[in-house]
């Protein structure tokens, strides 16, 4: 049945108008002033105006750029480091303690440092995202390579496979699963990294708009930035879920659980 | 050297594992073997006596500490079947069986044809597009055997391939293995924990003893071939089992 199949989409859509209504009523009943919470239609109007002037697209693009560049580079760095650590025990013994220490510290706390070093442009934010992303990817990659069955390697040896074949035919596919769950996690953290970086020091981006809105008491700007950020987050989440499902067709995915 | 008669010959093979905290483990000493071409030889013995170690050394997965191995096949091509089937979960049955041909870049029409015949022989044809997670343990192991045979290596090494299966499936696969063996004429070295299985399948049974791992005796199984359900009712079958059981102690 149509409802059964699309329940996950239909239910939230039904809840949405109720939410809007409650919002509207809340403002009416409690006489909430406009500068604390605008009416839903007001907010929608201001959002449309933001897009009409075209100003907002610049900020969206900058934040997206930071997320994607940072995530891309972070994945590559995390992968390479993770693979090296998984393969060379000595390096793991040397590096892992530091990794654990840095891992437990909130990496976001390095944001002011990065901004001092690299300035207000997108470099400092991309660097922060790289830092945030590469850690989970690296750790997942180490775990993934470690969890490959010894006999799978023995099989490759019996078949006289060369290093490259072991890598592409065995290690890459086996680590894909772990990697994808790492990327999913990384993408959400990447957004946090970019936004917090922007809030601390930037000339553009959605995080910058949050700070700007705060300083100018522009509640509409703040709310619009929040909405856009959640939309970006949602799209990223759905996108990574799709990629995961395509790449891991051979696994039974538990679709009922989110995350 | 009669390189045509023997598939594998080992001379004074020994293996010592160095341990960091305790004394070294002497896994194998003085293993002298002459496995003939086309022979079916089983290896039994108590746990830890070095059966897997011996198979891995012959399979080139581990280096012996002493002694040497001579193979009749100059490339020493061989197939290995592990206790767990080690199928690649993202490949279907046929792709898994074909994997060695892909790795060794031998996907010729005749090899593909032989692969299909092997799949047929193992009763897997109708499952060729199934993924490993859809298969039973017995089916997985059959895929693993076909994979080991796909590149036509003359020697097949099997380490407790049916150890994790129930008795009925195991008996069934034993018959199927003998069928495949007689059709393909491979030399098979077969490690097992089951005395009955060893007797049922083999030309000779290699009985090993532990600490240090060594050969206790090599018992010739003079049961007639071809073997089938009736073989198990042969009084000689029971006699041999009893003898082997006493040997292991
Ligand atoms: N990589 C290793 N490092 C150290 N010792 C090892 C190693 N592999 C095996 N051994 C030791 O060598 C001995 C023989 O092991 P092996 O696995 O060959 O026995 P097995 O006969 O196959 O036993 P099972 O019937 O339980 O499979 C054992 O004492 C084992 O602890
Ligand atoms: Mg063993």
């Amino acid at each position: 049945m149509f409802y059964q199949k699309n329940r996950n989409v239909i239910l939230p859509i039904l809840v949405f108008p109720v939410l809007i209504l409650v919002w509207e009523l809340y403002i009416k009943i409690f006489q909430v002033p406009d500068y604390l919470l605008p009416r839903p239609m007001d907010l929608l109007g201001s959002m449309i105006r933001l897009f009409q002037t075209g100003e907002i697209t610049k900020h969206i693009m900058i934040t997206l750029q930071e997320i994607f560049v940072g995530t891309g580079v972070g994945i590559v760095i995390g992968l390479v480091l993770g693979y090296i650590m998984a393969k060379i025990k000595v390096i793991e013994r040397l590096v892992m303690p530091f990794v654990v220490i840095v891992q437990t510290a909130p990496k976001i706390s390095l944001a002011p440092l990065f901004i001092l070093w690299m300035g207000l442009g997108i470099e400092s934010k991309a660097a922060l995202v790289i830092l945030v992303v590469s850690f989970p990817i690296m750790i997942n990659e180490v775990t993934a390579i470690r969890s490959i069955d010894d006999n799978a390697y023995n099989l490759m040896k019996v078949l006289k496979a060369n290093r490259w074949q072991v890598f592409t035919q065995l290690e890459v596919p086996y680590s894909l699963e772990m990697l994808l769950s790492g990327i999913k996690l990384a993408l959400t953290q990447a957004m946090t990294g970019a936004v917090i970086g922007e809030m601390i020091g930037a000339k553009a981006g959605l995080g910058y708009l949050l700070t700007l809105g705060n300083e100018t008491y522009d509640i509409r700007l703040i709310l619009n930035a929040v909405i856009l950020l959640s939309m970006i987050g949602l799209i990223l989440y759905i996108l990574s879920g799709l990629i995961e499902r395509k790449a891991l067709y051979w696994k039974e995915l538990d679709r009922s659980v989110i995350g | 050297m009669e390189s045509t008669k023997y598939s594998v010959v080992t001379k004074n093979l020994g293996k010592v594992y160095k341990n960091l905290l305790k004394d070294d483990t002497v896994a194998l000493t003085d293993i002298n073997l002459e496995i003939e071409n086309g022979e079916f030889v089983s290896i039994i013995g108590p746990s830890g006596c070095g059966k897997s170690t011996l198979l891995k050394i012959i399979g080139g997965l581990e280096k012996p500490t002493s002694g040497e191995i001579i193979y009749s096949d100059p490339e020493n091509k061989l197939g290995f079947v592990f206790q767990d089937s080690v199928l690649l979960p993202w490949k279907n049955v046929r792709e898994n069986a074909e994997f060695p041909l892909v790795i060794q870049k031998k996907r010729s029409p005749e090899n593909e044809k032989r692969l299909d015949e092997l799949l047929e022989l193992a009763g897997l044809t109708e499952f060729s597009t199934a993924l490993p997670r859809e298969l039973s343990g017995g089916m997985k192991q059959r895929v693993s055997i076909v994979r080991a045979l796909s590149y036509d290596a003359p020697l097949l090494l099997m380490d407790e391939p049916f150890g994790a299966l129930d008795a009925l499936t195991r008996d069934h696969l034993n018959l199927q293995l003998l069928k495949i063996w007689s059709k393909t004429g491979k030399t098979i070295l077969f490690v097992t924990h089951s005395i009955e299985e060893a007797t049922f399948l083999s030309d000779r049974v290699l009985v090993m003893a532990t600490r240090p791992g060594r050969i206790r005796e090599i018992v010739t199984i003079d049961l007639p071939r071809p073997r089938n359900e009736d073989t198990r009712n042969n009084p000689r079958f029971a006699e041999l089992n009893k003898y082997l059981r006493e040997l292991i102690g």
Side-chain angles (χ1 to χ4, degrees), chain B residues 1 6 9 14 21 39 47 54 65 79 89 96 126 139 146 154 160 167 177 186 200 217 243:
Chain B
M1 175 72 221
Y6 295 113
V9 174
L21 298 175
E39 209 181 3
S47 189
L54 177 58
T65 331
N96 262 293
E126 53 185 309
M139 273 152 78
V146 171
E160 302 193 41
L177 179 61
K186 304 290 178 199
F200 183 75
E217 195 172 319
Y243 180 72

Side-chain angles (χ1 to χ4, degrees), chain B residues 51-52 159-160:
Chain B
K51 306 182 290 293
S52 297
D159 193 355
E160 302 193 41

Side-chain angles (χ1 to χ4, degrees), chain B residues 17 19 25 27 45-54 62 160 193 211:
Chain B
Y17 284 111
N19 296 314
T25 311
S47 189
C49 69
K51 306 182 290 293
S52 297
T53 306
L54 177 58
E62 301 229 12
E160 302 193 41
H193 264 122
R211 259 171 225 120

Side-chain angles (χ1 to χ4, degrees), chain B residues 15-19 22 24-28 43-56 62 83 159-160 191-193 208 210-211 213:
Chain B
K15 176 76 185 177
V16 179
Y17 284 111
K18 298 234 180 292
N19 296 314
K22 24 178 207 137
D24 295 350
T25 311
V26 182
L28 294 172
I43 305 173
I44 58 175
S47 189
C49 69
K51 306 182 290 293
S52 297
T53 306
L54 177 58
L55 219 59
K56 279 186 188 154
E62 301 229 12
Q83 173 160 8
D159 193 355
E160 302 193 41
V191 171
T192 176
H193 264 122
M208 290 183 66
T210 186
R211 259 171 225 120

